[in-house]
């Protein structure tokens, strides 16, 4: 087994090992130029961190390893189709590719149904389980002020 299949096998093995160690059934590996930059496992329950999905923990570790907030040129191999959080994290990380093993339906069978999150964006936000509301400008609040400060900062680091 070589290439994509071998890296994916490693991600699945990390997922299986994580279950044995008390974590969720998800693992991820980030690879660039034929070598592993970082590995990640789901740490939600162990770290009390709902964002500690395997892909996110791998992205965080890979960025620390690289000393960069961009993972351009790298591929994320994950044991399961990334949820919307992890797809977004992958886009922000500028990963070249994401390759997964199990799909969202396999995850649902395991009790992790993020299909509803995928479907959420097509629905009226008023029906979402978490209400997301814009308050807008008030006499005491200028919502654009942080962006004005950002644009006025000559040495800002774009990302
Ligand atoms: Zn996720």
């Amino acid at each position: 087994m070589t290439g994509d299949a071998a890296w994916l096998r490693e991600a699945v093995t990390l997922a299986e090992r994580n279950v044995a160690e008390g974590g969720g059934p998800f693992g991820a590996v980030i690879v660039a130029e034929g070598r592993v930059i970082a590995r990640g496992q789901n740490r939600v329950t162990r770290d009390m961190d709902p964002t500690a999905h395997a892909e996110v923990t791998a992205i965080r570790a890979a960025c620390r390893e690289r000393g960069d907030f961009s993972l351009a040129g790298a591929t994320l191999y994950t044991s399961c189709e990334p949820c919307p959080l992890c797809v977004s994290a992958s886009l922000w990380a500028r990963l070249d590719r994401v390759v997964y093993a199990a799909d969202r339906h396999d995850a649902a069978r395991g009790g992790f149904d993020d299909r509803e999150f995928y479907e959420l964006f097509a629905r009226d936000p008023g029906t979402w389980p978490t209400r997301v509301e814009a308050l807008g400008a008030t006499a005491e609040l200028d919502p654009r002020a942080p962006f004005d400060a950002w644009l006025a900062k000559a040495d800002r680091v774009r990302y």
Side-chain angles (χ1 to χ4, degrees):
M1 203 163 37
T2 56
D4 285 348
W7 300 125
L8 212 47
R9 175 69 253 177
E10 184 167 345
V12 170
T13 299
L14 282 169
E16 291 173 312
R17 198 179 308 149
N18 203 43
V19 173
E21 293 165 358
F26 304 95
V29 178
I30 294 177
V31 175
E33 292 165 3
R35 73 171 196 93
V36 173
I37 308 176
R39 294 170 176 84
Q41 290 171 301
N42 180 288
R43 306 257 345 155
V44 171
T45 55
R46 285 195 282 175
D47 291 356
M48 304 297 162
D49 179 354
T51 69
H53 291 190
E55 299 93 324
V56 171
T57 60
I59 287 169
R60 289 174 181 157
C63 288
R64 276 195 305 272
E65 175 66 24
R66 249 194 190 178
D68 196 343
F69 47 77
S70 170
L71 296 175
T75 297
L76 168 67
Y77 294 91
T78 175
S79 63
C80 186
E81 182 176 2
C83 74
L85 165 71
C86 295
V87 169
S88 297
S90 299
L91 289 165
W92 279 115
R94 315 299 183 202
L95 284 156
D96 277 16
R97 292 171 70 213
V98 176
V99 181
Y100 63 87
D103 66 17
R104 65 186 76 176
H105 308 294
D106 297 319
R109 191 183 68 82
F112 298 90
D113 195 355
D114 52 20
R115 288 178 300 196
E116 113 178 47
F117 292 167
Y118 274 103
E119 292 158 8
L120 213 59
F121 295 105
R123 295 203 329 247
D124 173 6
T127 67
W128 294 4
T130 298
R131 287 171 50 182
V132 179
E133 305 167 274
L135 185 57
T138 67
E140 299 81 30
L141 176 74
D142 176 5
R144 296 190 180 94
F147 297 108
D148 293 340
W150 171 253
L151 292 170
K153 188 171 169 54
D155 61 345
R156 63 185 181 269
V157 178
R158 295 172 186 277
Y159 62 94

